[in-house]
């Protein structure tokens, strides 16, 4: 039962973060085409690993990750407003290079 709830939270969090991503004003994020590929949440909902991919643009994946990390406080606050959770997880961003490998 817990894994079903956890997977539902992961899916909803990925959708919400995709919407929130459009409102981020950091230049490294706003000037790049970023998509959230997957979210994994710890069983106690304390941390979430957000996997993202980015199309080739001005900035490389390291710069985009820095931009996402700097905007994580804003994104976490917006996520708390959109989702009804007791505790909003800390967001850790991981670059997903599966598109390049494919």
């Amino acid at each position: 039962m817990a894994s079903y709830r956890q997977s539902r939270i992961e899916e909803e969090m990925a959708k919400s973060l995709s919407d929130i991503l459009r409102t981020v004003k950091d230049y490294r994020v706003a000037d790049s085409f970023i998509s959230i590929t997957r979210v994994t949440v710890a069983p106690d909902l304390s941390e979430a690993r957000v996997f993202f991919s980015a199309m080739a643009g001005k900035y490389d994946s390291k710069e985009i990750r820095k931009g996402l990390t700097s905007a994580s406080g804003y994104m976490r606050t917006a996520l708390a407003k959109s989702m009804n959770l007791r505790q909003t997880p800390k967001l850790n961003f991981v670059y997903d290079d599966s598109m390049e490998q494919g």
Side-chain angles (χ1 to χ4, degrees):
M1 187 68 150
S3 64
Y4 176 71
R5 179 177 184 264
Q6 189 174 357
S7 66
R8 279 188 17 220
I9 289 172
E10 290 171 350
E11 289 175 15
E12 185 64 31
M13 194 173 290
K15 289 177 188 176
S16 295
L17 284 173
S18 295
D19 293 337
I20 294 167
L21 202 59
R22 293 186 210 135
T23 62
V24 174
K25 295 181 181 173
D26 190 303
Y27 64 94
R28 295 168 286 201
V29 177
D31 294 342
S32 302
F33 183 74
I34 302 169
S35 83
I36 304 295
T37 56
R38 175 175 57 146
V39 176
T40 58
V41 180
D44 63 349
L45 299 180
S46 63
E47 290 187 17
R49 295 180 82 192
V50 180
F51 294 89
F52 70 94
S53 65
M55 300 291 276
K58 291 182 187 179
Y59 306 105
D60 62 342
S61 61
K62 292 180 184 179
E63 286 295 317
I64 294 171
R65 185 171 179 264
K66 287 179 186 178
L68 288 169
T69 303
S70 70
S72 66
Y74 165 75
M75 294 174 76
R76 188 175 177 191
T77 303
L79 189 64
K81 290 178 184 176
S82 68
M83 295 182 69
N84 187 16
L85 295 174
R86 178 180 289 175
Q87 178 181 356
T88 306
K90 180 184 174 204
L91 302 175
N92 296 322
F93 294 96
V94 179
Y95 180 67
D96 186 12
D97 61 349
S98 62
M99 293 291 285
E100 294 171 1
Q101 292 177 0

